[in-house]
Amino acid sequence: MVSGQRIGQSEAPLPYLSPELNGQRLLIGANFASAGIGILNDTGIQFVNIIRMFRQLDYFAEYQRRVSAVIGAQQARQLVNRALVLITVGGNDFVNNYYLVPYSARSRQFTLPNYVKYIISEYRKLLMRLYELGARRVLVTGTGPLGCVPAELALRGSNGGCSAELQRATSLYNPQLEQMLQGINRKIGQTVFIAANTQQTHMDFVSNPQAYGFTTAKVACCGQGPNNGLGLCTALSNLCPNRQLYAFWDPFHPSEKANRLIVEQIFSGSTNYMTPMNLSTVMALDSLTS
């Protein structure tokens, strides 16, 4: 919802499977996300009832057919072409797959550099499918500093610092993701895919939380164990008295305040954060051509 507010949406798009998503509400958009999934189909196999990426894309096609029934095929096509699509996936392919357990199936199959190349190639197929389905403005976020979240500090951190191995994964993955997106844009001859360097945005407040009004970027507001980094945020968890002072809400996810900082960089950040342009530039260009 934070990102929607920043671009002027009065309400968040409903989950696609919500029974309330029908009629005119379809025209606001839809949320196809599913927690725990990854680029790969075997990411998140420990979770039940997750909606994997290929199924989300099927739902996106189905959504367009439903919109067509409301406003007609031509207007539905225009609506989708002009829509902003936000896609955030990839971190779980490391945390909930490659590094989920020691000697995981994927870590035995691939060295880390080859695994990164493999998931980038699989991600490219998904993004091309998204393009074929009519998406023309796609904001793609990289992974944050996976080794620096409270969960990894609790499990793998050394001397209070980030997990070097997960940080290595991040440093390999994010630049290759950006290169892949630039390659797709060149292939199709227009800027469809915009890369958001969320690794850099996260590291700004992870490395200097006080500069952004946080007291800590090492301890989650809600959790258990070291750094409040173990388990999920539940009624039994430790809960901080003031979430505004924490960069992380739970063992993995930024707090709402941190998310607002991330969204602001997506909207108006320099090319250190956004490639080839930030969201405000995209929206300004779109207003000239609409």
Side-chain angles (χ1 to χ4, degrees):
M1 184 56 199
V2 170
S3 55
Q5 289 172 343
R6 188 61 181 86
I7 61 172
Q9 276 192 314
S10 59
E11 59 181 296
L14 289 169
Y16 180 67
L17 297 180
S18 168
E20 297 175 25
L21 185 66
N22 48 51
Q24 292 296 308
R25 297 198 76 169
L26 285 163
L27 308 186
I28 296 171
N31 184 347
F32 300 89
S34 178
I37 66 147
I39 294 162
L40 305 181
N41 286 335
D42 57 304
T43 294
I45 55 171
Q46 70 272 37
F47 304 120
V48 295
N49 297 326
I50 60 175
I51 305 168
R52 292 179 169 81
M53 283 299 301
F54 75 91
R55 179 64 64 206
Q56 291 184 31
L57 291 169
D58 288 345
Y59 283 148
F60 184 48
E62 182 181 277
Y63 164 79
Q64 294 181 51
R65 292 192 291 271
R66 293 175 64 193
V67 171
S68 295
V70 176
I71 59 174
Q74 183 176 351
Q75 279 191 285
R77 234 181 348 264
Q78 289 176 348
L79 184 75
V80 171
N81 288 166
R82 293 172 181 170
L84 177 66
V85 177
L86 171 64
I87 182 166
T88 299
V89 70
N92 286 333
D93 292 285
F94 296 103
V95 174
N96 287 329
N97 191 328
Y98 196 83
Y99 292 110
L100 180 63
V101 294
Y103 309 108
S104 67
R106 288 299 191 184
S107 67
R108 293 196 306 272
Q109 182 183 9
F110 293 105
T111 63
L112 179 61
N114 286 338
Y115 182 68
V116 169
K117 289 178 183 174
Y118 175 62
I119 60 176
I120 289 287
S121 68
E122 292 301 299
Y123 201 3
R124 188 183 187 281
K125 295 173 189 175
L126 294 171
L127 293 175
M128 288 304 297
R129 170 78 175 136
L130 190 60
Y131 174 76
E132 290 162 5
L133 288 170
R136 293 296 179 269
R137 281 295 185 218
V138 185
L139 186 60
V140 183
T141 65
T143 69
L146 298 174
C148 300
V149 301
E152 298 307 330
L153 293 178
L155 292 172
R156 296 185 176 89
S158 53
N159 300 320
C162 304
S163 162
E165 184 63 12
L166 272 160
Q167 286 299 91
R168 178 172 169 243
T170 300
S171 68
L172 288 171
Y173 173 79
N174 284 325
Q176 290 185 51
L177 174 63
E178 187 176 309
Q179 291 164 12
M180 181 263 281
L181 297 175
Q182 291 174 336
I184 296 179
N185 287 337
R186 284 194 298 271
K187 176 183 171 63
I188 60 186
Q190 63 182 123
T191 301
V192 170
F193 296 96
I194 313 267
N197 186 349
T198 41
Q199 153 84 353
Q200 184 57 54
T201 312
H202 276 75
M203 283 309 295
D204 287 349
F205 56 75
V206 164
S207 58
N208 189 4
Q210 288 73 26
Y212 297 88
F214 300 116
T215 56
T216 180
K218 292 180 179 292
V219 180
C221 176
C222 184
Q224 301 114 57
N227 301 81
N228 269 355
L230 301 180
L232 302 174
C233 178
T234 70
L236 301 177
S237 298
N238 303 314
L239 183 64
C240 70
N242 185 354
R243 66 189 69 188
Q244 294 289 323
L245 300 179
Y246 287 70
F248 285 92
W249 162 246
D250 67 13
F252 291 101
H253 301 104
S255 63
E256 181 178 344
K257 180 178 174 180
N259 273 323
R260 289 186 184 280
L261 295 171
I262 294 166
V263 168
E264 194 53 47
Q265 289 292 12
I266 288 172
F267 193 79
S268 57
S270 70
T271 50
N272 290 333
Y273 299 92
M274 299 297 295
T275 305
M277 67 188 89
N278 60 38
L279 185 53
S280 63
T281 304
V282 171
M283 293 175 70
L285 290 173
D286 285 350
S287 68
L288 292 174
T289 57
S290 60

